[in-house]
Amino acid sequence: AQSVTQLGSHVSVSEGALVLLRCNYSSSVPPYLFWYVQYPNQGLQLLLKYTTGATLVKGINGFEAEFKKSETSFHLTKPSAHMSDAAEYFCAVRRPSGNTPLVFGKGTRLSVIA
Amino acid sequence: SAVISQKPSRDICQRGTSLTIQCQVDSQVTMMFWYRQQPGQSLTLIATANQGSEATYESGFVIDKFPISRPNLTFSTLTVSNMSPEDSSIYLCSVEDTGGAGEYFGPGTRLTVT
């Protein structure tokens, strides 16, 4: 079975500061990994994904994440936070084979302080 | 990518009634998924819907409570039956990325049961 743990249900940063949202996963096979963002009263939008190849992946809005197999982690970062980054962020995992759905973490709410 | 629409976007319903949520995709897809997002929570998979076969339900969800239709490759419905206040949630449909990695989500249906 697969699972995702997001450390910190709420993270608060100042505008312009580094954003770091933590995600650890458990999987019996090398997984596909994802970060989704959910703005208030909206659906989920894919930020970035890791499937194979380069372990540092870049996504939209200046976000990036690094797959570290030895640490079973896929932390999301952004060098400089904007007010518009305030949202709920979900890390998700799925097996690469077959038509299997995503397994989501509990989410981290990011607040950006002016 | 896929563009997904859901109807209704929100509704307020009385307990004991049923609501059918529609999900329309702008391209043909094999797999469609239905999720529930309870207030302040992460996403929980309700069921996977394949065209031409019965939906596959996750533990804790049953067909009598959440009947699903999948009449063609671009459309699906989820019915929330005999509603109670505990069913108040956001219901989201998603489709699998044609590249096999990740899912695209609809905007969600915000359901309030009084």
Side-chain angles (χ1 to χ4, degrees), chain B residues 32-45:
Chain B
M32 294 182 78
F33 305 98
W34 285 99
Y35 290 85
R36 181 175 72 182
Q37 186 179 22
Q38 293 177 301
Q41 301 295 316
S42 186
L43 282 75
T44 302
L45 182 67

Side-chain angles (χ1 to χ4, degrees), chain B residues 41-92:
Chain B
Q41 301 295 316
S42 186
L43 282 75
T44 302
L45 182 67
I46 297 172
T48 301
N50 280 336
Q51 194 271 333
S53 62
E54 290 208 3
T56 302
Y57 289 82
E58 297 299 303
S59 176
F61 297 96
V62 295
I63 188 171
D64 290 347
K65 175 67 175 177
F66 297 101
I68 288 172
S69 78
R70 183 78 202 275
N72 58 53
L73 291 173
T74 63
F75 186 78
S76 178
T77 67
L78 169 75
T79 299
V80 186
S81 303
N82 188 24
M83 288 183 285
S84 67
E86 291 72 34
D87 294 320
S88 297
S89 296
I90 300 173
Y91 292 86
L92 300 104

Side-chain angles (χ1 to χ4, degrees), chain A residues 32 34 36 38 40-46 49 51 88 90 94-96 98-107, chain B residues 10 30-31 33 35 37 40-43 45 48 58 90 92 96-97 99-108 110:
Chain A
Y32 289 171
F34 309 85
Y36 284 85
Q38 186 178 34
N41 299 314
Q42 294 188 27
L44 272 71
Q45 181 180 8
L46 180 65
K49 62 185 177 185
T51 54
E88 189 85 18
F90 294 96
R94 65 165 288 186
R95 290 190 305 181
N99 296 315
T100 56
L102 295 165
V103 174
F104 284 88
K106 292 184 181 297
Chain B
R10 59 178 61 228
T30 303
M31 308 289 288
F33 305 98
Y35 290 85
Q37 186 179 22
Q41 301 295 316
S42 186
L43 282 75
L45 182 67
T48 301
E58 297 299 303
I90 300 173
L92 300 104
E96 190 175 55
D97 176 26
E103 295 171 25
Y104 296 103
F105 284 81
R110 185 179 295 272

Side-chain angles (χ1 to χ4, degrees), chain A residues 13-28:
Chain A
V13 301
S14 298
E15 191 173 19
L18 171 72
V19 176
L20 170 61
L21 304 182
R22 300 178 185 274
C23 172
N24 289 88
Y25 69 90
S26 173
S27 178
S28 58

Side-chain angles (χ1 to χ4, degrees), chain B residues 20-39:
Chain B
T20 295
I21 302 168
Q22 299 179 5
C23 179
Q24 179 76 52
V25 188
D26 69 341
S27 58
Q28 294 185 339
V29 294
T30 303
M31 308 289 288
M32 294 182 78
F33 305 98
W34 285 99
Y35 290 85
R36 181 175 72 182
Q37 186 179 22
Q38 293 177 301

